[in-house]
Amino acid sequence: MTELINPATEEVLRSVDHLDAAAVDDAVRRAQAAQRRWAALAPAERAAALRAFAAVVDAHAGELAALEVANSGHPISSAEWEAGHVRDVLHYYAAGPERLSGKQIPVAGGLDVTFNEPLGVVGVITPWNFPMMIASWGIAPALAAGNAVLVKPAEWTPLTTLRLAELAVEAGFDEDLLQVLPGEGAVVGERFVSHPGVRKVVFTGSTATGRKVMAGAAGHVKRVTLELGGKSANIVFDDCDLELAAATAPAGVFDNAGQDCCARSRILVQRNVFDRFMELLEPAVRRVVVGDPAARDTEMGPLVSAAHRDKVASYVPDDAPVAFRGTAPTGRGFWFPPTVLTPQRTDRAVTDEIFGPVVTVLAFDDEHDAVTLANDTAYGLSGSVWTDDLSRALRVTRAIEAGNLSVNSHSSVRYSTPFGGFKQSGLGRELGPDAPLSFTETKNVFIAIKEAP
Ligand code: ADP
């Protein structure tokens, strides 16, 4: 059992029972039976079921958002967007069952066709930063491809995911088809990895735990998709709209209080505009509205837990090179103000993923230096390039080793486009048109044609 704490008030919300490995084994057995029933439905029936699920999520979007505000401290405007995103992801992948059409391949002597067969039972292990959204990225395409899904939410933030499973049943789903199993990573998560009946594990979390999942999965040659850490660069060239780059840089890193693997947590600024950029950035950082996540105008809430706040704070010791900071409430709640550092290139604040509202700003000399700095990390998830020179934008985005780049903006997650990392930021891609395929095996069938008599 674990007690859930509201990160903005430190009040106990409720407690949730943690399951053991035997409960996972039982869930896998029931999911295997439910998967066979689900896969036997006509594609149009599975599509209709996913659309019905989306409609029930839509009808409960306000409730899901309020739960995320209380459990995770997300600002209400963000939490509402997240609930709407879950609905949209379900809608988008509702088209999947009728579009996994395989191929007909020309061969001699017969007909050759491919089928996209479901894997069976899929395990989805989610982190605490975007609980319901990240769960939906696994749930929707895996179901669309004919699989059953087990989800293990992060220990601190299980409430919206538990509610999603109830809403699926309300929409008419078999209760064993989508099961949410709260518990510890080392118990429930590890059992997903070690159970031979779980055919794929989709893991989102830290790179250290992702490595363990991948190593464990190797024992069964189990499929994995990994979405891991990031330390993304926001590169500001001297020919860009500097006002806009500075005005949007805070949202690019402080969204969700920096607890975002896509956070642009290293701002790299061309040396000849560095001072001007910092002058423009300071008021933008001070303007970030940090406070009660239930308030409509709040832009940034608290950190998720006391332990996480302590970890973030360790990156800003008393002698840290703080350029300026925003504000944050004092008193109860796990608050941390937006903080801008100007350290040396080798400082651990520049190299480690902090996962909090701390950003470093470094100067670079030219395009080559910018790309070298941006790639000087084990991670490769996202990044932004600010320039009005189209050729430069293309040269630099092609040279950066990262999966999700944006030019003159900080967008990275759209359900209709692929999302994932290079290098130690992960393996495989989620979202986008091809996601259901990553929950299938390709089967090739050759049918011989007899010679005419
Ligand atoms: P954090 O983001 O808290 O540093 P982790 O990468 O450890 O997190 O956690 C992400 C998810 O992985 C959580 O749901 C957590 O419970 C789970 N997890 C932790 N350890 C393991 C493990 N050894 N095997 C599988 N899942 C794990």
Side-chain angles (χ1 to χ4, degrees):
M1 203 181 71
T2 193
E3 276 188 343
L4 305 179
I5 310 283
N6 180 326
T9 62
E10 301 186 38
E11 281 160 17
V12 176
L13 278 173
R14 60 177 255 204
S15 50
V16 169
D17 286 333
H18 276 177
L19 301 183
D20 59 14
V24 177
D25 294 359
D26 179 54
V28 173
R29 249 189 319 274
R30 288 185 286 113
Q32 284 169 327
Q35 188 270 327
R36 285 191 287 272
R37 295 191 289 275
W38 174 243
L41 293 178
E45 289 177 295
R46 279 186 273 127
L50 285 164
R51 283 194 289 269
F53 186 11
V56 175
V57 167
D58 188 47
H60 291 81
E63 180 200 338
L64 286 165
L67 267 182
E68 207 67 276
V69 172
N71 194 178
S72 307
H74 291 194
I76 181 69
S77 53
S78 308
E80 285 173 350
W81 186 88
E82 290 159 28
H85 177 83
V86 172
R87 172 204 57 218
D88 293 346
V89 168
L90 287 165
H91 263 303
Y92 182 70
Y93 290 111
E98 296 177 284
R99 289 184 189 175
L100 283 169
S101 51
K103 285 186 174 140
Q104 177 269 316
I105 298 167
V107 292
L111 172 72
D112 194 285
V113 288
T114 66
F115 295 92
N116 301 121
E117 304 285 12
L119 299 172
V121 177
V122 171
V124 177
I125 301 173
T126 58
W128 47 257
N129 61 336
F130 289 107
M132 64 175 145
M133 240 168 72
I134 292 175
S136 76
W137 299 353
I139 291 169
L143 287 175
N147 301 280
V149 181
L150 305 178
V151 186
K152 193 210 86 67
E155 290 86 327
W156 293 333
T157 57
L159 294 184
T160 46
T161 317
L162 285 164
R163 190 68 186 122
L164 280 180
E166 292 171 359
L167 296 177
V169 173
E170 201 175 312
F173 274 48
D174 185 321
E175 65 179 11
D176 293 334
L177 185 65
L178 168 61
Q179 300 177 56
V180 175
L181 311 177
E184 286 175 32
V187 178
V188 175
E190 281 197 12
R191 190 62 189 137
F192 282 13
V193 175
S194 67
H195 196 305
V198 177
R199 295 294 172 78
K200 172 164 187 164
V201 171
V202 178
F203 172 85
T204 305
S206 61
T207 294
T209 307
R211 268 188 218 112
K212 271 199 224 169
V213 167
M214 192 171 174
H220 298 277
V221 196
K222 187 172 292 194
R223 282 82 182 121
V224 288
T225 294
L226 304 173
E227 297 290 356
L228 311 175
K231 189 72 184 177
S232 300
N234 175 10
I235 306 178
V236 180
F237 285 100
D238 63 1
D239 61 8
C240 80
D241 179 340
L242 207 62
E243 278 75 18
L244 191 60
T248 56
V253 58
F254 301 140
D255 186 52
N256 202 27
Q259 302 166 124
D260 182 341
C261 42
C262 288
R264 275 61 168 174
S265 53
R266 293 183 297 150
I267 305 178
L268 312 178
V269 185
Q270 198 154 5
R271 201 176 297 282
N272 57 335
V273 291
F274 187 89
D275 291 343
R276 177 71 189 133
F277 180 82
M278 292 301 272
E279 272 170 30
L280 293 166
L281 182 64
E282 181 165 355
V285 168
R286 295 198 194 279
R287 267 199 308 272
V288 178
V289 182
V290 183
D292 177 8
R296 286 259 148 225
D297 62 345
T298 292
E299 293 171 317
M300 193 182 115
L303 293 172
V304 71
S305 70
H308 187 57
R309 184 185 52 187
D310 291 348
K311 185 188 151 205
V312 171
S314 76
Y315 286 93
V316 191
D318 289 342
D319 61 349
V322 174
F324 39 83
R325 305 184 88 165
T327 58
T330 50
R332 296 182 77 76
F334 310 127
W335 303 103
F336 200 86
T339 300
V340 179
L341 304 178
T342 47
Q344 299 297 314
R345 290 183 175 199
T346 52
D347 194 280
R348 76 184 188 109
V350 177
T351 55
D352 291 6
E353 182 180 43
I354 300 175
F355 225 59
V358 180
V359 68
T360 59
V361 192
L362 300 180
F364 67 83
D365 296 312
D366 55 20
E367 200 175 301
H368 175 75
D369 191 30
V371 169
T372 306
L373 258 178
N375 286 338
D376 186 19
T377 167
Y379 297 115
L381 192 52
S382 64
S384 304
V385 179
W386 289 80
T387 175
D388 277 351
D389 177 339
L390 182 58
S391 296
R392 168 175 276 169
L394 285 168
R395 281 194 307 269
V396 174
T397 51
R398 295 300 302 271
I400 293 176
E401 297 163 330
N404 299 84
L405 294 163
S406 49
V407 176
N408 296 333
S409 73
H410 298 298
S411 92
S412 49
V413 172
R414 287 187 183 81
Y415 57 78
S416 57
T417 58
F419 175 73
F422 279 36
K423 302 194 292 191
Q424 294 189 35
S425 283
L427 186 69
R429 292 292 178 272
E430 298 193 276
L431 299 176
D434 299 331
L437 281 177
S438 66
F439 294 99
T440 65
E441 293 289 2
T442 300
K443 180 183 286 170
N444 191 70
V445 176
F446 170 75
I447 304 163
I449 300 173
K450 287 185 183 161
E451 296 290 322

